[in-house]
Amino acid sequence: MKILPLISDSESLASLCKRLASSPFVTVDTEFMRENTYYSELCLIQIANDEEAVAIDPMAEGIDLSPLLELLTDNHDVLKVFHAAGQDIEIFVNMAGKTPSPIFDTQIAAMALGQGEQIGYSNLVDLWLNIQIDKGARFTDWSRRPLDKRQIDYAIADVTHLSKLFPMMLEKLKETGRGNWLNDEMEKIANANQYINDPDEMWRRVKVRSRAPDVLGRVKALAAWREREAQHKNIPRGRVVKDETLADIAIHPPKKQADLGRVRGLSSSWKNNDIGERLMKAITKSKALTKDEMPDKKRSPNGGRNGALVTDLLKLLLKIRSREINVASRLITKADELERLACGERDDLNVLKGWRYEQFGKDALDLVEGRLAFAVVDGQLQMTRTNNNENQIITEGNNA
């Protein structure tokens, strides 16, 4: 594979993107900094196909990234391959307003091939290519210029390995017939809405020890105010106000701005500065949540302790089945869906649809509805079919 020099000018980037536009796939990775900012500071973009690889300097003066964004988000003939794509995609959504498309995530593909819940990139490369990645430059300051050769070589290696690894994984998925198992997950990561933080929805992430509508109304108002402050100043939201402080203020709202000087987690300057004034306005304008706005109570399985045991049995069945078919259990279903199934819910459950139903959901439903049980036969745990009418147990012979 040809490794190109670092691209730092618009002409070279446009020429690269024109060549890559005819490739069946490109592998993509980024290096960024986020410790001190709200939005990720994009420092380097790496891209490759099966013939060439290069790093692009998005911080270079005057560089026009529009050909690259067009390639990633508008050229639907080229598959964009990432590993653990979430943070990379968020960067491109903030730049272009939409996600790269179409997308393939090798971390999700590895789940379908039984290689762990969230296998790291270096472990995946080791497993498939028998290459140990040098992590020496991993925690470098990518925003400092100039970048040295070691940093660039480290960064480009991520996409060169990925360009070799992806075709191998794709072939394995075809052999096992599991390619369509990934469709739902790939659609989820391609949804741009999940990368856009709506200030009016951020209250749902704040843990507060109250379900009082007026308290939650203040949490909603304060969380939205904080999010907009963080976005405007481009600083982490925790640098504005930490979650625990925000929750305490919502539960015990100050009557006047001078009281902010005595709030734990705020400096005394809040009692007379501009940001303190804006916080007080957020409290003043807050409204108690309506009945329709109230969050659902934490779901607990019907039947109290017995219902919780049903969920535990479903988790055991999931563990057994995921081992049998050699696929990460997280790709099949998650704990909250098992709890809903144990509660008696049947609608809008992914586990009761498509391949998930065939591989696990059918048996999970039988377990909950009394047609499947566990038994110990000759010292081994087995799944058994039950005849409810005659109260008989018919052993299937599936060793757990």
Side-chain angles (χ1 to χ4, degrees):
M1 178 179 291
K2 184 179 180 181
I3 307 299
L4 304 178
L6 178 69
I7 288 181
S8 56
D9 66 278
S10 300
E11 183 179 354
S12 299
L13 179 58
S15 178
L16 169 73
C17 293
K18 186 176 181 180
R19 294 195 304 274
L20 295 179
S22 60
S23 302
F25 73 89
V26 292
T27 56
V28 187
D29 190 30
T30 66
E31 307 298 340
F32 57 88
M33 305 290 289
R34 199 173 190 170
E35 288 79 2
N36 300 309
T37 59
Y38 180 91
Y39 299 104
S40 296
E41 181 184 9
L42 181 59
C43 302
L44 200 66
I45 306 167
Q46 305 93 267
I47 192 166
N49 59 10
D50 55 354
E51 296 180 351
E52 57 183 338
V54 67
I56 303 157
D57 185 359
M59 302 178 71
E61 184 176 355
I63 191 168
D64 178 10
L65 296 176
S66 56
L68 177 64
L69 296 178
E70 182 179 350
L71 171 68
L72 295 179
T73 63
D74 295 334
N75 188 330
H76 302 299
D77 295 327
V78 180
L79 181 65
K80 290 80 184 182
V81 181
F82 295 82
H83 181 83
Q87 294 187 86
D88 298 316
I89 293 175
E90 181 182 357
I91 290 172
F92 293 119
V93 169
N94 287 330
M95 294 175 69
K98 47 190 172 181
T99 60
S101 177
I103 293 175
F104 184 95
D105 191 320
T106 54
Q107 187 177 70
I108 296 174
M111 293 168 64
L113 296 173
Q115 293 165 355
E117 300 286 325
Q118 289 181 300
I119 187 170
Y121 179 71
S122 59
N123 290 335
L124 195 67
V125 170
D126 188 8
L127 181 66
W128 284 83
L129 303 178
N130 195 28
I131 295 174
Q132 286 73 47
I133 294 176
D134 178 9
K135 300 180 181 179
R138 183 179 181 184
F139 298 108
T140 191
D141 183 351
W142 293 101
S143 65
R144 296 184 65 179
R145 293 296 185 271
L147 295 170
D148 61 37
K149 184 178 183 301
R150 181 166 177 259
Q151 289 174 302
I152 296 173
D153 288 347
Y154 167 85
I156 291 180
D158 283 348
V159 289
T160 57
H161 296 326
L162 204 57
S163 65
K164 297 174 183 176
L165 192 156
F166 162 67
M168 297 168 66
M169 297 188 76
L170 187 62
E171 185 61 31
K172 190 67 174 179
L173 287 168
K174 291 178 180 178
E175 290 176 7
T176 57
R178 296 183 177 185
N180 66 317
W181 291 16
L182 304 177
N183 292 343
D184 290 345
E185 300 302 316
M186 298 303 177
E187 286 180 11
K188 287 178 186 176
I189 65 173
N191 181 359
N193 291 331
Q194 68 173 316
Y195 305 102
I196 300 172
N197 293 328
D198 181 353
D200 293 324
E201 292 296 319
M202 298 308 294
W203 66 279
R204 300 182 188 278
R205 302 186 185 185
V206 180
K207 294 181 180 179
V208 59
R209 302 182 305 277
S210 175
R211 283 186 55 84
D214 61 329
V215 171
L216 293 180
R218 285 190 289 271
V219 172
K220 181 177 181 179
L222 288 169
W225 160 79
R226 180 182 66 173
E227 201 70 14
R228 292 187 175 97
E229 289 278 343
Q231 290 174 347
H232 177 70
K233 296 177 179 178
N234 194 24
I235 59 174
R237 65 180 66 91
R239 295 273 185 91
V240 180
V241 177
K242 294 187 180 300
D243 277 8
E244 53 268 29
T245 302
L246 188 149
D248 287 343
I249 293 173
I251 295 172
H252 307 289
K255 292 182 172 58
K256 53 186 183 299
Q257 185 177 348
D259 296 336
L260 293 177
R262 296 190 293 272
V263 173
R264 183 177 180 182
L266 301 181
S267 69
S268 60
S269 63
W270 283 67
K271 66 185 178 182
N272 53 21
N273 62 11
D274 291 343
I275 193 170
E277 182 180 354
R278 293 194 293 273
L279 183 152
M280 291 303 299
K281 285 182 179 178
I283 294 176
T284 302
K285 293 180 179 179
S286 68
K287 297 179 181 179
L289 294 190
T290 65
K291 184 177 180 180
D292 291 339
E293 291 176 315
M294 290 291 290
D296 295 332
K297 291 183 179 180
K298 184 173 176 58
R299 186 181 289 107
S300 58
N302 294 332
R305 182 177 296 178
N306 288 337
L309 289 174
V310 173
T311 302
D312 288 339
L313 286 175
L314 285 171
K315 290 178 180 178
L316 175 60
L317 178 62
L318 177 62
K319 185 176 182 179
I320 292 170
R321 186 50 47 83
S322 64
R323 285 180 177 177
E324 287 178 347
I325 65 175
N326 193 29
V327 63
S329 61
R330 184 168 172 263
L331 189 63
I332 301 174
T333 188
K334 298 179 178 63
D336 64 328
E337 232 185 10
L338 296 182
E339 290 175 1
R340 291 171 62 190
L341 190 61
C343 284
E345 293 187 35
R346 300 294 181 266
D347 296 331
D348 198 30
L349 295 178
N350 287 332
V351 74
L352 299 183
K353 301 174 185 177
W355 71 268
R356 290 178 172 87
Y357 175 74
E358 295 299 326
Q359 298 295 330
F360 171 74
K362 186 188 300 183
D363 284 343
L365 200 57
D366 285 347
L367 178 63
V368 171
E369 296 180 353
R371 296 183 294 274
L372 184 69
F374 292 104
V376 177
V377 179
D378 296 329
Q380 292 189 333
L381 182 66
Q382 294 187 342
M383 289 185 290
T384 64
R385 294 286 167 186
T386 64
N387 186 326
N388 289 333
N389 294 329
E390 301 178 9
N391 197 28
Q392 293 178 340
I393 295 180
I394 306 167
T395 302
E396 282 193 331
N398 289 332
N399 292 342

